[in-house]
Amino acid sequence: MSAAVRERLIAHAASEGLAVKMGLKVVDVTAGCAVVEMLPGAEDENLFGYVHGGAICSLMDEAFQLACNSHGTMAVALSVNVVFHSPAEGGVLLRAEAVEIHLGRRTGTYSIRVVDAGGKLIASCQATAYRKNVPLPFIGDSSGEGGKAFKKGTC
């Protein structure tokens, strides 16, 4: 992954309306991987006082979109399957880590996990992205970005 792709992805994520509204912060982006955090507040609570599943899904989606677009070509979600394992408490930092499991010519598969500050697993997700054969619109020509070798399954 080039430094230009990394910098532009992080800059665009920082200015996305929903990411700003939800306080999503990019921690790291590497080829096929991304880490994003949020500190949920009272406005993120569900009926039972826990962090709303929609907020957790938004956190996962942010990490997913950064990981699948890290190769410099546009990728969009095809499917997302989320499992909630434990309730998340408001005011406790949440971290989503997206890891590329498979990268093909037209699709990519990702595993996303959300843990709290104590390392407790909150949610996990299997997601598939469709890889369009066009450069990211805010990058320009990204020839040579896709297909670079890296170790699968870890960030």
Side-chain angles (χ1 to χ4, degrees), residues 26-46:
V26 179
V27 175
D28 195 20
V29 179
T30 58
C33 296
V35 178
V36 179
E37 292 179 340
M38 77 177 287
L39 183 60
E43 67 279 3
D44 300 312
E45 290 180 358
N46 65 16

Side-chain angles (χ1 to χ4, degrees), residues 60-73:
M60 294 175 115
D61 190 50
E62 189 71 11
F64 172 43
Q65 82 163 340
L66 291 167
C68 70
N69 282 287
S70 66
H71 300 290
T73 54

Side-chain angles (χ1 to χ4, degrees), residues 26-140:
V26 179
V27 175
D28 195 20
V29 179
T30 58
C33 296
V35 178
V36 179
E37 292 179 340
M38 77 177 287
L39 183 60
E43 67 279 3
D44 300 312
E45 290 180 358
N46 65 16
L47 295 172
F48 310 108
Y50 295 114
V51 178
H52 196 286
I56 294 168
C57 286
S58 293
L59 175 63
M60 294 175 115
D61 190 50
E62 189 71 11
F64 172 43
Q65 82 163 340
L66 291 167
C68 70
N69 282 287
S70 66
H71 300 290
T73 54
M74 189 183 298
V76 294
L78 278 177
S79 69
V80 177
N81 182 18
V82 177
V83 177
F84 296 100
H85 303 283
S86 302
E89 303 283 340
V92 177
L93 188 70
L94 297 178
R95 174 180 277 228
E97 180 177 306
V99 178
E100 192 167 81
I101 302 303
H102 170 77
L103 180 64
R105 189 175 64 82
R106 287 291 188 197
T107 62
T109 307
Y110 299 80
S111 175
I112 304 111
R113 293 171 41 93
V114 174
V115 296
D116 68 11
K120 179 173 74 172
L121 180 63
I122 302 300
S124 61
C125 173
Q126 177 87 17
T128 303
Y130 175 72
R131 302 183 72 225
K132 299 177 86 171
N133 196 22
V134 297
L136 293 172
F138 50 87
I139 301 292

